[in-house]
Amino acid sequence: MTDNTRYWIWLSQALGYCNAKHKYLFSLYSDISTLYEGGETEFRFCGVFSQSEINRLCRTDISEADRIMEKCKGLGFSIFSIDDPLYPDSLRSIEDPPAVIYVQGNLPDVDNLNTISIIGTRKATVYGVRTAFELGANLSREGFVVVSGGALGIDCAAHRGVLQEGGVTLCVLGCGIDYDYLRENKSMRQAITEKGALISEYPPGTPSSTRNFPQRNRIISALSKGLVVVEAPKASGSMITVGFALAQNKDIFAVMGNVDSPYSEGSNALIKDGATPVTSYKDIAEFYLGVGYDIKPSRRYEDKVISSVPTKLKNSTDTTKKDNSPLPTHKSSLSLSDSERLIYYTIGNSPVHVDSIAEQSALPVHQVLRILSVLEMNDLITDIGGRNYVIK
């Protein structure tokens, strides 16, 4: 936080978010307080603002910025304004950087680290979830910082893969950090802050909205050297993020998906248009670390190509204990929905509680319970008591 942070907060409150004028004003004023102290005369003299913007600047009281700063202090959130030396250069360099970002946790030096965004559809298939999980885990093990948006589907799977390895992941939110967005993922977000960070340009208390999420996508791509699209329909928020990444001159990767799946239409089209195809995390690691880099021996995840057959997802809160039990034997050729398959492959030989299943699958508990009943009726799993399940 700098001496001028309150003025940058005031400016973002007056002008709104995702505004290119923040960057222009940063280049125009070495001390942004000059703009505030100059009042309406300075607002007009600088030649930047429309009349409606001048009116909003005049109406916006700086006490609101002070209130936001006090609330962040109470919540333990950090605030980085665009003039802060710790504000990432990669974010400052885009066309419309946030005037301030709010951070819970530990913001790494993203400008000097290998950072990669992993994104995709919320309505991911089992293959997509499995792939995102493995990419997050393996890239984290190779030292990458993984960035995503904390949404259901691909985002959560990537975050959880990183957490499984005890790595660093950044979650960029389209709401205030304290807002109860996707309550079932609260424990995941808390785990992220232990080594990584939750990031938002929206102050505490800001609810999620359909407008916020496309805006936050430019931050996801800005914080990364490259962007990996795992699964995405042609018309989706992921493709909006790709647009931002292209404008920011980022590397674009895409996982090759089923040609019959609507959830892979966007990612497959990206490959056709020149994106680097991904069949293994090594495709990404070699891109940045060079062919023949020193590959660390895998602890939990396969080093071979991404498999379309999902295996058990580990408990995301267990980052140290190794599982030496025999691999679970799941039945194949099952007539299950994507959600049912996801739950089925979350359960293995060792008992797993319904709360853990809900956490790993990122599905509401009531939906998980319904699916567990279906799997039990199909003689695929067994309740051994206390809502703990194993496969048959």
Side-chain angles (χ1 to χ4, degrees):
M1 190 182 304
T2 70
D3 294 338
N4 286 330
T5 297
R6 68 194 295 252
Y7 300 107
W8 287 110
I9 296 175
W10 162 78
L11 192 64
S12 67
Q13 292 296 295
L15 297 183
Y17 310 101
C18 198
N19 193 318
K21 290 183 179 180
H22 294 149
K23 182 174 183 177
Y24 182 73
L25 290 167
F26 173 67
S27 67
L28 192 62
Y29 291 94
S30 59
D31 185 341
I32 195 63
S33 66
T34 302
L35 174 68
Y36 175 79
E37 299 294 345
E40 186 173 355
T41 300
E42 184 66 25
F43 303 160
R44 295 186 184 280
F45 178 77
C46 71
V48 175
F49 306 114
S50 66
Q51 183 58 52
S52 62
E53 289 172 330
I54 291 173
N55 293 340
R56 291 202 302 273
L57 289 166
C58 291
R59 289 196 306 266
T60 304
D61 197 308
I62 202 166
S63 63
E64 176 62 12
D66 294 333
R67 186 195 67 79
I68 291 171
M69 292 176 66
E70 190 63 28
K71 187 169 185 179
C72 286
K73 181 179 179 181
L75 291 169
F77 297 169
S78 300
I79 310 173
F80 299 96
S81 53
I82 194 171
D83 64 338
D84 193 316
L86 297 178
Y87 186 101
D89 285 335
S90 57
L91 187 55
R92 190 184 285 120
S93 65
I94 67 175
E95 180 182 0
D96 43 14
V100 295
I101 54 173
Y102 303 92
V103 176
Q104 182 184 12
N106 305 285
L107 182 65
D109 183 9
V110 295
D111 296 325
N112 295 299
L113 294 170
N114 284 321
T115 52
I116 195 80
S117 291
I118 299 177
I119 64 167
T121 179
R122 288 170 169 81
K123 299 178 180 179
T125 66
V126 174
Y127 167 70
V129 170
R130 159 75 171 172
T131 299
F133 188 89
E134 287 189 341
L135 286 175
N138 283 310
L139 288 172
S140 175
R141 188 163 44 79
E142 298 302 331
F144 284 77
V145 174
V146 174
V147 185
S148 198
L152 294 175
I154 299 300
D155 289 10
C156 279
H159 288 308
R160 293 183 191 283
V162 175
L163 293 174
Q164 187 71 49
E165 287 292 313
V168 177
T169 182
L170 305 179
C171 177
V172 183
L173 296 168
C175 56
I177 295 172
D178 63 329
Y179 184 73
D180 201 10
Y181 169 66
L182 293 180
R183 186 175 301 173
E184 61 268 31
N185 287 336
K186 185 175 181 179
S187 60
M188 181 193 77
R189 292 195 296 272
Q190 184 57 45
I192 287 173
T193 64
E194 293 176 8
K195 294 184 71 174
L198 304 178
I199 301 170
S200 178
E201 70 176 316
Y202 305 105
T206 304
S208 59
S209 75
T210 54
R211 182 177 64 177
N212 292 358
F213 287 96
Q215 290 180 349
R216 70 86 193 261
N217 290 349
R218 79 194 195 284
I219 300 176
I220 291 177
S221 59
L223 293 174
S224 310
K225 290 185 176 179
L227 182 77
V228 185
V229 181
V230 177
E231 276 185 330
K234 280 189 174 181
S236 65
S238 297
M239 302 308 286
I240 293 174
T241 312
V242 171
F244 283 124
L246 290 171
Q248 296 165 6
N249 199 29
K250 304 293 183 176
D251 304 312
I252 308 295
F253 303 85
V255 173
M256 302 171 67
N258 190 329
V259 295
D260 295 328
S261 172
Y263 301 115
S264 291
E265 284 184 353
S267 42
N268 286 342
L270 288 173
I271 294 173
K272 186 177 179 180
D273 291 340
T276 301
V278 173
T279 59
S280 164
Y281 78 95
K282 292 181 183 178
D283 296 326
I284 301 165
E286 289 181 350
F287 187 93
Y288 293 105
L289 304 178
V291 177
Y293 70 96
D294 185 19
I295 301 175
K296 301 177 182 65
S298 177
R299 296 208 303 271
R300 296 186 181 90
Y301 304 97
E302 299 176 0
D303 286 336
K304 61 185 180 182
V305 297
I306 296 168
S307 169
S308 61
V309 181
T311 59
K312 178 185 175 185
L313 303 180
K314 309 295 183 179
N315 187 321
S316 64
T317 59
D318 181 8
T319 59
T320 56
K321 183 180 178 181
K322 294 186 179 181
D323 187 354
N324 295 317
S325 59
L327 290 175
T329 303
H330 294 92
K331 297 177 182 178
S332 57
S333 302
L334 299 173
S335 298
L336 300 175
S337 68
D338 286 344
S339 295
E340 290 167 349
R341 287 181 64 85
L342 174 59
I343 296 299
Y344 180 50
Y345 283 101
T346 302
I347 301 169
N349 297 327
S350 301
V352 56
H353 192 266
V354 62
D355 291 340
S356 180
I357 297 171
E359 181 181 2
Q360 293 178 54
S361 64
L363 295 175
V365 173
H366 68 85
Q367 185 176 349
V368 171
L369 289 172
R370 179 185 60 77
I371 293 173
L372 290 171
S373 297
V374 172
L375 296 177
E376 278 193 282
M377 286 189 291
N378 283 292
D379 204 32
L380 297 175
I381 63 172
T382 300
D383 183 352
I384 62 173
R387 289 189 172 180
N388 291 286
Y389 297 83
V390 296
I391 64 169
K392 280 193 172 182

